[in-house]
Amino acid sequence: MASISKKTRDNFVDVLETDEKPQKEKTEKESTPRDDLISALEEIDKDYEKISESQRLPDTPVYERKEYDAPTDEEIKANAEALLEGERVSGIENIETQTEESKKAKEKKKAEALSGVESKKSSIMATYDQASENYSNDLLKRGMARSSVAVAGKNALEQARADAITLAVNNAEAEVKAIDEEISALETSRQKALDAFNIAHAVKVTEKIAELTKARDLKAEEVLEYNNNLLQQEMKEAYDKIMKESDLETEYLRQEQIKDSLGVDDVALSERNIAKYNTIRNYLLAMSREDAKNAVRTDELVRSSLTDYYYYKLYNEFC
């Protein structure tokens, strides 16, 4: 416990010493000796209230920590893959779609080639049928229908027909073969595209894992630093409390010694009563004998501020 401050006990003495000097004319804002007395008594009571509070300081606060459920490396990997899964599926579907569209286009071209050779053959047949008919009519007009020239000519037309059909078929077959090779090459191109895409996707997943891992580590460091700062603050406040309680304990032991020597239970209360007595006595000494006597008998402030002992002590002195 602490005692009433010497500054408070002596406060009114300074007021009295000032009051004994030649006084200037007071303005409405200047305080009177009685106003100063009231202020001094209030200050004494405030000091007593402070030192009458419990000597045990309140517990230091425990601050709320931040919590961070940091994801594991496996969780980060799964999260990165999940974030990029849509892009992976879309990329693969795009490759498959392009391959399928190219294959359909080549199959259509192949069908057109096969269909075209039949049309070509029909055209060749019709052309040579007309040529053979024209040739026979011409020989007939010239009376050579059964001649060796007629036979040789017809044989030549049939050979040309056969050669034209063979050439058309061979060209069609070559075109179909080339288309089949292109179709087969599509699968190779498809696989290469998938392999390249998977490699690029794997790189993106690795980069995303690195990004998420860095964010996790930064967050964990931030939470750790925040909580460590709170711990340091708690330790500092706890230390300050220990030091203050140590000072209070030292003062308490001093007060106990004073209590033993004075035979009183509440040193602070005793000092407050003495301080009030001395303050009011100095106030009265600054007055004339008659005014001081009248103040002791009639001023309720004087009576209510003192215990019976100190009031009658003043009464005996001034009355």
Side-chain angles (χ1 to χ4, degrees):
M1 295 178 61
S3 61
I4 295 176
S5 66
K6 184 175 185 299
K7 176 181 178 182
T8 302
R9 291 198 301 267
D10 297 341
N11 181 53
F12 198 69
V13 175
D14 294 336
V15 173
L16 293 175
E17 290 177 350
T18 302
D19 195 56
E20 290 174 356
K21 298 177 182 179
Q23 297 293 310
K24 296 181 180 180
E25 184 177 353
K26 293 183 171 63
T27 65
E28 290 183 359
K29 294 183 179 180
E30 290 179 335
S31 62
T32 65
R34 193 173 187 280
D35 292 334
D36 293 334
L37 173 64
I38 293 173
S39 298
L41 293 174
E42 289 176 349
E43 189 66 27
I44 292 171
D45 283 334
K46 287 180 182 178
D47 278 357
Y48 176 72
E49 288 173 3
K50 290 179 183 178
I51 63 177
S52 296
E53 295 175 353
S54 172
Q55 296 303 307
R56 186 180 183 280
L57 297 175
D59 292 337
T60 55
V62 177
Y63 300 105
E64 183 177 358
R65 266 52 169 182
K66 284 184 178 180
E67 293 185 3
Y68 176 51
D69 186 13
T72 63
D73 290 344
E74 292 74 15
E75 290 172 335
I76 286 178
K77 181 176 181 294
N79 188 24
E81 291 173 345
L83 290 172
L84 296 172
E85 178 62 14
E87 180 181 315
R88 186 189 72 82
V89 171
S90 176
I92 291 175
E93 286 180 350
N94 186 48
I95 292 172
E96 297 289 1
T97 298
Q98 289 181 357
T99 301
E100 186 63 26
E101 289 178 351
S102 295
K103 184 177 180 181
K104 287 180 179 180
K106 293 183 184 302
E107 290 287 358
K108 180 180 179 182
K109 186 177 180 181
K110 177 181 176 181
E112 290 174 350
L114 292 173
S115 175
V117 72
E118 294 300 323
S119 177
K120 184 71 173 175
K121 285 167 65 177
S122 296
S123 177
I124 291 172
M125 290 294 292
T127 299
Y128 277 94
D129 282 345
Q130 185 63 48
S132 178
E133 182 180 354
N134 293 337
Y135 182 66
S136 294
N137 290 335
D138 182 61
L139 290 176
L140 182 61
K141 289 178 181 179
R142 291 187 294 166
M144 299 175 63
R146 296 181 179 276
S147 66
S148 59
V149 173
V151 173
K154 288 184 178 181
N155 288 338
L157 285 173
E158 288 301 323
Q159 184 62 47
R161 182 206 302 266
D163 291 342
I165 290 174
T166 299
L167 178 61
V169 170
N170 289 341
N171 288 339
E173 288 177 349
E175 184 178 0
V176 169
K177 182 179 179 182
I179 293 173
D180 284 337
E181 290 176 352
E182 290 175 358
I183 292 174
S184 297
L186 284 176
E187 178 59 28
T188 302
S189 298
R190 169 184 168 277
Q191 191 57 52
K192 287 181 178 179
L194 286 174
D195 291 343
F197 175 81
N198 288 333
I199 291 173
H201 181 74
V203 171
K204 287 187 177 181
V205 170
T206 300
E207 291 174 346
K208 179 60 69 173
I209 289 174
E211 176 187 335
L212 296 177
T213 300
K214 181 178 179 180
R216 176 199 63 185
D217 294 344
L218 288 175
K219 180 65 176 178
E221 290 175 4
E222 174 190 334
V223 171
L224 179 61
E225 181 180 2
Y226 178 83
N227 290 338
N228 283 342
N229 289 338
L230 290 185
L231 177 60
Q232 292 177 4
Q233 180 66 20
E234 289 172 354
M235 293 175 64
K236 179 181 181 302
E237 292 178 359
Y239 176 78
D240 291 343
K241 177 190 173 187
I242 291 173
M243 297 305 295
K244 289 178 181 178
E245 287 181 339
S246 176
D247 292 341
L248 289 173
E249 181 65 19
T250 300
E251 177 61 18
Y252 173 77
L253 294 175
R254 189 185 74 82
Q255 294 291 342
E256 287 297 308
Q257 292 176 348
I258 296 175
K259 284 165 59 177
D260 292 341
S261 64
L262 296 179
V264 295
D265 292 331
D266 191 334
V267 174
L269 179 60
S270 176
E271 289 189 352
R272 185 196 70 167
N273 292 336
I274 293 172
K276 284 189 172 184
Y277 166 76
N278 288 331
T279 299
I280 295 175
R281 183 172 182 275
N282 289 332
Y283 168 72
L284 295 173
L285 288 173
M287 298 179 179
S288 66
R289 185 73 182 181
E290 187 62 27
D291 288 342
K293 177 179 178 181
N294 187 55
V296 171
R297 289 183 173 182
T298 62
D299 192 337
E300 179 60 25
L301 176 63
V302 173
R303 181 65 188 91
S304 62
S305 300
L306 299 172
T307 63
D308 289 347
Y309 172 78
Y310 286 111
Y311 174 73
Y312 287 111
K313 187 173 182 180
L314 285 180
Y315 188 91
N316 291 333
E317 180 178 357
F318 291 96
C319 298

